Amino acid sequence: MEDDSRKARWERQSEVPLALASAAYLCAYAVRVLVHGLSDGWRAFCLVLTLMAWSVFAADYAVRWRLSGKRLLRFVRTHLLDTVVLLLPLLRPLRVVNIYETRRRHHGEPRLPIYGRVIVYAGLSTTLLGFTGALAVYSFEYDAPGATMRTFGDAVWWTCATLATVGYGDITPVTAMGRTIAVGVMACGLALLGAVTGSFSSWLIQVFSREDDERPPGR
């Protein structure tokens, strides 16, 4: 119980600093990618800002591990989202739902229903992955020889089509890193689509089953 209270206290105290670090990391990365011709001084400042923000994420991860009292490998297995966020800091806003539910439990309010959590996660993940995926692929593609992705708008259009598993083919990555990012975006799009479809189908089945149970006998 003491460890749980210490963990909850740490989560409350670190909520605002982590949110600020997430915003700083995303803004600094976006400036480095989108502002062409950035001076060396500003580029170095953005790099330092991203490294400082990541060090905050790493410190938070280390504190959570120590407060859990688990071995490192077990902590990694049981906290996959925290581990992924540490390795890919652009996904840090995904923890917003966890923070929201923690605050609801602290105030004695009911948690979000499972279907609501799936929809919120999927919506937030799609928006975040769309923006960060476009940033990442654009950083490698915009000046590559033979590239069709010349503007950030092209990158956003390509990311939306890829996440939706449509794949028009009018814009395609030509660099090795761009195609590697494309594989990750495709996998995330399929996973999100499957999660939302499965959750919606399960919800419909429960609704229809409840209606059948409430129907009077003989009808």
Side-chain angles (χ1 to χ4, degrees):
M1 293 297 294
E2 182 179 355
D3 291 340
D4 292 340
S5 63
R6 291 173 61 191
K7 180 180 178 182
R9 186 165 58 251
W10 170 258
E11 290 178 349
R12 291 193 300 270
Q13 293 174 348
S14 62
E15 179 179 342
V16 173
L18 288 174
L20 295 176
S22 300
Y25 188 99
L26 185 59
C27 290
Y29 181 78
V31 168
R32 291 186 64 198
V33 172
L34 297 179
V35 180
H36 303 305
L38 196 65
S39 65
D40 293 339
W42 279 106
R43 187 171 294 276
F45 173 76
C46 291
L47 178 60
V48 170
L49 192 60
T50 56
L51 293 177
M52 290 176 61
W54 188 86
S55 66
V56 173
F57 303 150
D60 174 67
Y61 188 87
V63 171
R64 290 174 184 273
W65 167 46
R66 296 299 298 175
L67 291 178
S68 69
K70 300 177 182 178
R71 294 182 180 273
L72 180 59
L73 291 179
R74 185 181 177 187
F75 180 81
V76 171
R77 289 196 302 268
T78 56
H79 294 75
L80 290 178
L81 178 59
D82 291 330
T83 305
V84 171
V85 165
L86 178 65
L87 298 177
L88 300 174
L90 287 174
L91 301 180
R92 185 76 199 182
L94 284 176
R95 297 202 71 255
V96 169
V97 177
N98 282 347
I99 294 173
Y100 171 73
E101 292 191 24
T102 300
R103 293 181 66 87
R104 288 178 69 93
R105 288 197 301 269
H106 176 69
H107 293 290
E109 300 176 1
R111 299 177 65 188
L112 283 173
I114 181 64
Y115 305 113
R117 276 180 282 164
V118 171
I119 296 301
V120 171
Y121 267 115
L124 180 61
S125 301
T126 301
T127 303
L128 180 63
L129 288 171
F131 181 67
T132 57
L135 279 176
V137 75
Y138 178 66
S139 65
F140 292 101
E141 292 290 322
Y142 77 95
D143 61 347
T148 58
M149 193 180 298
R150 292 299 184 181
T151 66
F152 184 64
D154 293 338
V156 172
W157 167 253
W158 169 84
T159 306
C160 291
T162 304
L163 280 173
T165 67
V166 176
Y168 287 107
D170 54 340
I171 300 175
T172 56
V174 297
T175 63
M177 280 302 301
R179 291 176 176 174
T180 301
I181 295 170
V183 172
V185 173
M186 293 175 195
C188 291
L190 289 172
L192 290 171
L193 182 62
V196 173
T197 303
S199 179
F200 183 69
S201 300
S202 179
W203 175 74
L204 286 178
I205 291 173
Q206 285 200 4
V207 170
F208 294 149
S209 299
R210 192 179 304 116
E211 290 179 353
D212 290 340
D213 293 339
E214 295 174 353
R215 185 178 304 172
R219 292 188 179 181

